[in-house]
Amino acid sequence: MTITPSLFEAFLKCPTKCWLRFTGERPTTNIYAEWVRTEHESYRNDGTKRLIANAPADEYAVAPIAENLKTAKWPLAVDVPVRIELCSSRGNEAQTSMSGTDQSLPTSAATSAGAKSTGESRLHAIERLPSEGRGKAAQFIPVRFTFTNKLGKDDKLLLAFDAFVLSEMLGREVTLGKIIHGDDHAALKVKTSALTAEVRKRVEKIAALLSSSAPPELVLNRHCAECEFQGRCRKIAVEKDDLSLLAGMNAKERQELRSKGIFTVTQLSYTFRPRRRPKKLRDKREKYHHSLKALAIREKKIHIVGSPELKLEGTPVYLDVEGLPDRDFYYLIGVRIGNGESAIQHSLWADAIEDEGRIWSDFLDILATVEKPILVHYGSYETTFLARMRTRHGWHPESNATVTMAVKRPINLVSFIFATVYFPTFSNGLKDITRWLGFYWSEPEASSLISIVWRHRWEESPSEVFKQKLITYNAEDCEALDRLKERLVELFAHVAKNLRGLHPRRCWP
Ligand code: SF4
């Protein structure tokens, strides 16, 4: 088997993804995953051209032969193939093909599989610093291109994987690497030697995973929405009625249930036992019950705990914001004032980051025209937006006290749902819940990730098509919020009228 950066990167996200890439599984359609792939490729191609353009003529190499690296004279090489042997079938003693240093070897995979495995990469670039004196070797610095402005641990580990393969090949430590990333082509130096132990451990685990004849256990996770196998895995999980469909359940909770012989959502649904709460706990928030969520799903009914209330004393202003998290840039503020048919929608659009302050100011102006505005949103994204905008752009000089109050005390509908209203949906996401309530978006595939792709498409060639898609999607999010709030008010009123005293309450077929 050959462990490549593609497999290494996949393993960092999800063992199943690594396995599926290794076995050549065909990706299912995921617009976001496809966009990320093409962005990476084009950023790498552009980055390589820039490096070459800035290098003195004839002082760089393209795809040099790996075996000649030690005697290389060039200061820069691009697209450099490197390959090492990680372990062999000769016995339990794993070894690399060139370095011979036993401390660097993944071993357990070798002993378990007894199969030959190699580590391979095509380094985006290598910078070579000449020897600093007699007896001192030239220094090699692997370079990796990443199109995002923000970097995470996985980006550094991926570079460290390149450095690991290169150092094994050279038989000398590669202590430093460089990531060139983002819109400004910023260069980040990474001390790769500090990550070598972690890379080695992961490589060992990958080798063990891929030498097994059975695929790893399928567990849906946070990365699924960005993954090229999303459609395939979700289908299998639904067929298996797998516990990982419950988005709010963590690995520890799942493991505990499995140790009790509970493997499916349906099995879990039979474990829910309604209990009256002791008087002394009445004022405390009820804990979240995965078993009640499972019951709601099995029965296709909403369950409500306690006697919740949702009263808005003022005019509801539904807020939904679109942004590019990688740039910390908010480019579309959707505001829906009032309810139902008479509601008025505003869509505040920023062409560029310089316009963000203007749309924030327009937003405050709109709020100032509303009588006792009460901002209603869903989740933490808008909470963060409001806090950041206050810090970044401040208040409008004419912002009155009601505007200030609305911005400082928005109503997050999630807080009325979590551990209180159990919808028969696998997650508590706005789309899952409101789709179940019968609300649909014009673009069925619309999501926050797809909106990022649309915005980039619009930036590449500003056309009304993508701008309009985004404005419609955002306005429909606001409308979904309106519908959800209305339905919660109805549900809570229904509970108050009919079922006072029961706990928990099943109230909506
Ligand atoms: S869809 Fe999810 S579970 Fe499947 S491979 Fe991707 S990340 Fe893993």
Side-chain angles (χ1 to χ4, degrees):
M1 92 193 53
T2 301
I3 299 174
T4 61
S6 166
L7 294 181
F8 186 82
E9 182 204 19
F11 184 78
L12 295 176
K13 308 294 183 200
C14 165
T16 300
K17 183 171 181 173
C18 180
W19 171 271
L20 292 174
R21 278 191 179 172
F22 177 67
T23 54
E25 177 80 22
R26 278 171 72 89
T28 42
T29 312
N30 182 327
I31 295 170
Y32 182 78
E34 181 56 22
W35 174 76
V36 168
R37 194 185 63 73
T38 52
E39 285 296 296
H40 265 306
E41 274 177 21
S42 84
Y43 191 84
R44 178 185 173 179
N45 289 340
D46 290 352
T48 304
K49 282 182 196 153
R50 287 168 71 100
L51 273 188
I52 289 175
N54 291 330
D58 302 328
E59 288 201 26
Y60 64 86
V62 178
I65 296 169
E67 280 69 25
N68 297 343
L69 283 185
K70 280 184 183 172
T71 55
K73 295 283 181 276
W74 41 255
L76 172 74
V78 294
D79 193 25
V80 187
V82 284
R83 184 183 173 90
I84 56 168
E85 192 176 316
L86 292 166
C87 54
S88 78
S89 55
R90 275 177 286 150
N92 290 346
E93 210 174 296
Q95 59 183 346
T96 55
S97 60
M98 297 189 72
S99 73
T101 52
D102 59 7
Q103 50 136 356
S104 61
L105 302 172
T107 56
S108 65
T111 46
S112 64
K116 187 171 175 176
S117 62
T118 53
E120 190 177 286
S121 187
R122 269 198 104 86
L123 303 193
H124 295 186
I126 299 180
E127 288 177 5
R128 180 180 155 280
L129 302 181
S131 154
E132 288 179 339
R134 274 174 73 109
K136 290 198 174 166
Q139 199 185 339
F140 290 89
I141 301 173
V143 178
R144 178 165 273 274
F145 296 102
T146 304
F147 79 95
T148 53
N149 290 297
K150 290 184 183 174
L151 296 175
K153 174 94 185 277
D154 289 358
D155 297 304
K156 293 176 186 170
L157 280 170
L158 205 48
L159 174 71
F161 175 78
D162 284 349
F164 167 73
V165 179
L166 180 62
S167 70
E168 291 298 315
M169 178 142 189
L170 291 167
R172 76 171 81 132
E173 199 177 23
V174 173
T175 56
L176 200 65
K178 207 189 265 185
I179 302 178
I180 296 177
H181 69 106
D183 302 331
D184 299 331
H185 299 270
L188 178 81
K189 285 184 182 167
V190 178
K191 201 176 167 199
T192 49
S193 52
L195 297 168
T196 309
E198 199 170 339
V199 169
R200 214 175 268 142
K201 228 186 268 172
R202 307 278 181 138
V203 167
E204 188 172 342
K205 283 186 178 169
I206 294 169
L209 170 78
L210 301 183
S211 58
S212 162
S213 56
E217 182 199 340
L218 190 148
V219 179
L220 300 185
N221 57 73
R222 281 170 177 270
H223 181 67
C224 293
E226 302 175 26
C227 177
E228 70 255 35
F229 302 113
Q230 184 190 22
R232 171 209 177 264
C233 292
R234 188 150 187 100
K235 184 167 174 275
I236 293 173
V238 169
E239 282 164 7
K240 283 170 56 187
D241 193 25
D242 191 78
L243 285 176
S244 67
L245 285 163
L246 297 175
M249 185 180 286
N250 63 35
K252 195 174 160 212
E253 290 167 328
R254 201 166 42 248
Q255 206 43 51
E256 268 174 26
L257 289 170
R258 291 171 69 92
S259 70
K260 293 177 190 164
I262 298 166
F263 296 92
T264 68
V265 177
T266 304
Q267 286 171 340
L268 178 62
S269 72
Y270 285 102
T271 66
F272 179 72
R273 298 283 173 272
R275 288 194 184 92
R276 265 186 196 284
R277 299 190 82 198
K279 263 192 183 157
K280 60 181 180 185
L281 294 179
R282 287 268 160 89
D283 294 336
K284 293 212 167 163
R285 198 182 181 112
E286 173 80 53
K287 72 168 189 155
Y288 183 81
H289 297 281
H290 292 296
S291 53
L292 185 51
K293 187 74 164 163
L295 180 61
I297 292 166
R298 176 164 63 81
E299 294 185 334
K300 298 187 176 52
K301 287 178 177 166
I302 301 169
H303 287 248
I304 297 183
V305 172
S307 308
E309 286 185 349
L310 175 53
K311 280 191 190 142
L312 300 187
E313 287 170 356
T315 312
V317 178
Y318 302 97
L319 170 70
D320 191 80
V321 179
E322 311 303 329
L324 296 177
D326 186 50
R327 282 192 223 152
D328 279 337
F329 166 38
Y330 299 97
Y331 63 86
L332 177 56
I333 306 175
V335 183
R336 180 183 171 93
I337 301 166
N339 296 315
E341 297 292 306
S342 60
I344 298 168
Q345 177 72 33
H346 296 272
S347 301
L348 309 173
W349 175 268
D351 279 352
I353 205 157
E354 296 75 34
D355 300 328
E356 189 187 75
R358 174 186 53 77
I359 62 170
W360 169 247
S361 173
D362 291 347
F363 167 67
L364 295 178
D365 278 350
I366 290 170
L367 276 189
T369 65
V370 180
E371 195 184 345
K372 281 181 87 181
I374 299 177
L375 284 175
V376 181
H377 66 98
Y378 200 87
S380 59
Y381 193 72
E382 280 72 22
T383 320
T384 308
F385 159 79
L386 292 169
R388 282 202 183 142
M389 291 303 97
R390 280 159 56 191
T391 315
R392 206 178 282 171
H393 304 296
W395 295 102
H396 197 283
E398 274 137 47
S399 295
N400 55 33
T402 52
V403 172
T404 316
M405 183 66 84
V407 172
K408 284 187 176 172
R409 299 217 184 127
I411 303 281
N412 184 354
L413 284 189
V414 173
S415 65
F416 288 88
I417 292 176
F418 184 76
T420 302
V421 187
Y422 291 78
F423 286 97
T425 52
F426 289 122
S427 86
N428 272 343
L430 177 67
K431 299 210 170 42
D432 273 4
I433 291 176
T434 48
R435 274 188 187 126
W436 190 84
L437 293 173
F439 183 80
Y440 290 95
W441 276 253
S442 318
E443 296 273 352
E445 84 271 25
S447 70
S448 53
L449 288 178
I450 299 299
S451 73
I452 292 173
V453 179
W454 288 345
R455 170 73 196 198
H456 279 91
R457 296 259 185 275
W458 177 81
E459 288 187 1
E460 282 156 21
S461 67
S463 86
E464 278 305 306
V465 177
F466 287 111
K467 183 174 174 180
Q468 204 45 57
K469 271 179 190 271
L470 285 161
I471 288 174
T472 304
Y473 163 63
N474 174 260
E476 288 174 345
D477 271 359
C478 293
E479 193 182 341
L481 262 179
D482 179 357
R483 293 269 193 102
L484 177 58
K485 195 274 289 174
E486 287 299 299
R487 191 54 67 94
L488 287 175
V489 170
E490 276 172 40
L491 284 170
F492 295 170
H494 181 79
V495 169
K497 197 170 153 204
N498 299 304
L499 297 161
R500 189 166 288 281
L502 292 178
H503 173 78
R505 298 168 174 136
R506 179 190 311 164
C507 70
W508 205 264

